Amino acid sequence: MTLTGTQGEDRSNYTREESRAIRQRSLRLLGSLISPLRARIALAAVVLVVSTALQVAGPILIGVAIDKALPVLLEQNDWMPALVVSGVYLLAGATAAALIGWYVVVAARITQAVLLDLRKRIFLHTQRLSLEFHESYTSGRIISRQTSDLDSIRELLDGGLNNLVSGVLFGIFTFIALMVADWQSGMILLVAGIPLAFLMRWFYKRSQLVYRESRVISAKVIVQFVETMTGIRAVKSFRKEPRNDETFQKLAGDYRDVNRRSMVLFGTFEPGLMAVAALTTTFVVLWGGIRVSTGALGVGVLLSAVLYVRNFFAPMQEIAMFLNSYQSATAALEKVSGVLEEVPTVPDPAKPVDLWESRGGIRFDEVTFGYNGEKTILPNFSLDIPAGQTIALVGTTGAGKSTLAKLVSRFYDPTKGKVTLDGVDLRMLHPKDLRRAIVMVTQEAYLFSGTVADNIALGKPDATLDEIRAAARAVGADEFIESLPDGYATDVNKRGGRVSAGQRQLISFARAFLADPAVLILDEATASLDIPSERLIQDALQTLLADRTAIIIAHRLSTVAIADRVLVMEHGRIIEDDTPAALIGGTGKFAQLHAAWQETLV
Ligand SMILES: Nc1ncnc2c1ncn2[C@@H]1O[C@H](COP(=O)(O)OP(=O)(O)O)[C@@H](O)[C@H]1O
Ligand SMILES: [Mg+2]
């Protein structure tokens, strides 16, 4: 398991080794995102360098105009030099502007290409990851990978990185130009670089702390919100609102406080920056003024020096801002790369075994299993279910019935031993063959947006409407579907398309029957049905289970009647295994359960 699987995301908990691994993981991801775009990035770099150089030429041209062209114009009334300099200035400005425009477009294309790639990768990969991952990775966290993390990365690429690269390039070019125009002013700027560096460093350190804190709190705010709203039924039934209000207000208040602190940080940084800039300009003007008065320096050169110094400080604020977007983006990149490097714990086979026609024989071969390799749920479990048999699996809550079902559906792999279908290890089956052969219906009957017919057709995407109707009829769902506003074409998310939990289960039955698997597992799939509906289903079940292997986990013992064989499970072991009649007539656990159940009926 990689680092993000189950652990928290606060990086401060990690050892140095782990931090390094995380950094390398982020860089790997970044590299893989950028490498297909190398050519475009090189183009953007060239365009940016040329346009910055042209921009930086401005002040020098102004200096030349004042010192060289203006005297010629005043003394000889010769317009030529002034026109030439103005022309060059205009040309440089226009070219720089055009190139900047081009650069913006190229850079935006690069950003969007990276984001598109990343967005697709996150979706495809998270969808492919095994159930084990999804059971431990909360929905709030997985949502932020696709939303706020991508936003942070976009902000970095769109704004931050652009600002940094163009700001630093501009600063370097400006400094070089200043050294060329007037090296003594350049030296003054160099000295000013010392307090500037301290200021930037201070800001970087402090903002790093504040921003990390802010991210942690903002994640908590989101998690609190998502959890409350996804669990809204439980919240309302247990009157948890007041407590939630309190927690949320506290979190939101903390979030405000930390943001306020970050503003104070800016409130200190910006005046500091202005002070350094003003002092530097003052010294350049003073020292330049003295030299102009002695004739050692032209006024024009002094003017260009002053312009350079002023320009030099202009992008500093943006560079500092970059540091912030950089920090949240690296954090986002770390988390995203964590998800992307998570490997499915139930991997597809490298060389799958073909199984076109499955008969449906299931075997557990000395299977040992525990979730996350921890506490053993199934200890050395063996079971043979011949093809075509209908099994009723009963036992107390927590006995391991659903675990057994999840192993048959290969949502998990055994820690030891193997589960086979027609003698083939499930791990060797192509996922397509596996999903066609084995279908599990659970209590949670999820409906996707779309029509009722679409939802049934999930089990067989190319099914005709007649097939869909036949499947619905077989499970006794057609009556209520026909009574919906648009029948089979009713949108399940629209008003009038809202169906009850029991009706959802009927739809998911129709879905499973349409899929026509060799092995069908029903894990308490009738729990939301009322007794008449369940009886209806049972009649349907009898015919539909006739020619396939079935494992029915039922909490109502009435279902057991249609089974060929009953398995009673306790603490991950089968303690009784016989025909329903034999078990009922016996003296074991099942006989007791059955007697107790009979009593509740009279
Ligand atoms: N996703 C999971 N992660 C860790 N433990 C689990 C998970 N699902 C079930 N368990 C544990 O496995 C045991 C068997 O659970 P389960 O198979 O769901 O029982 P049943 O379906 O018979 O009620 C229980 O002790 C339960 O706590
Ligand atoms: Mg269960």
Side-chain angles (χ1 to χ4, degrees), residues 131 135 371 391-409 411-412 439-445 505 508-509 512 519-528 534 541 545 550-556 559 569:
L131 207 61
E135 281 177 347
Y371 290 95
I391 298 274
L393 186 60
V394 298
T396 44
T397 304
K401 306 182 295 294
S402 298
T403 306
L404 184 145
K406 284 190 260 184
L407 285 169
V408 175
S409 328
F411 286 167
Y412 290 88
V439 165
M440 170 149 82
V441 179
T442 64
Q443 198 172 345
E444 172 218 41
Q505 283 194 339
S508 76
F509 268 114
V519 181
L520 181 64
I521 306 163
L522 307 180
D523 187 357
E524 312 211 337
T526 54
S528 301
E534 196 183 12
L541 276 182
L545 301 185
I551 302 174
I552 308 173
I553 303 172
H555 67 303
R556 283 196 198 119
T559 319
M569 201 168 182

Side-chain angles (χ1 to χ4, degrees), residues 32-180:
S32 75
L33 287 168
I34 283 176
S35 68
L37 300 166
R38 266 171 313 199
R40 267 195 254 176
I41 291 173
L43 174 67
V46 170
V47 173
L48 185 65
V49 167
V50 175
S51 108
T52 309
L54 288 173
Q55 271 175 299
V56 169
I60 276 204
L61 289 171
I62 292 173
V64 170
I66 291 175
D67 286 346
K68 304 272 157 51
L70 203 59
V72 175
L73 176 63
L74 292 178
E75 286 155 23
Q76 303 161 22
N77 204 18
D78 180 1
W79 282 84
M80 207 48 210
L83 282 179
V84 169
V85 176
S86 307
V88 172
Y89 184 87
L90 210 60
L91 192 67
T95 317
L99 287 179
I100 277 290
W102 189 18
Y103 171 75
V104 167
V105 173
V106 174
R109 285 225 182 101
I110 294 173
T111 306
Q112 290 307 321
V114 167
L115 287 173
L116 177 67
D117 187 6
L118 198 55
R119 199 180 289 283
K120 285 195 291 197
R121 281 201 220 179
I122 296 175
F123 182 84
L124 297 180
H125 190 78
T126 343
Q127 181 174 256
R128 236 189 72 217
L129 284 173
S130 314
L131 207 61
E132 183 167 357
F133 169 83
H134 289 284
E135 281 177 347
S136 65
Y137 210 89
T138 55
S139 55
R141 281 165 72 203
I142 204 75
I143 289 169
S144 25
R145 292 305 83 85
Q146 184 67 263
T147 54
S148 59
D149 285 349
L150 274 179
D151 273 343
S152 310
I153 295 172
R154 181 187 56 74
E155 244 167 64
L156 173 79
L157 296 175
D158 254 1
L161 209 55
N162 261 347
N163 287 342
L164 177 80
V165 175
S166 51
V168 167
L169 206 61
F170 188 76
I172 294 172
F173 278 24
T174 302
F175 180 70
I176 294 173
L178 179 61
M179 288 302 275
V180 170

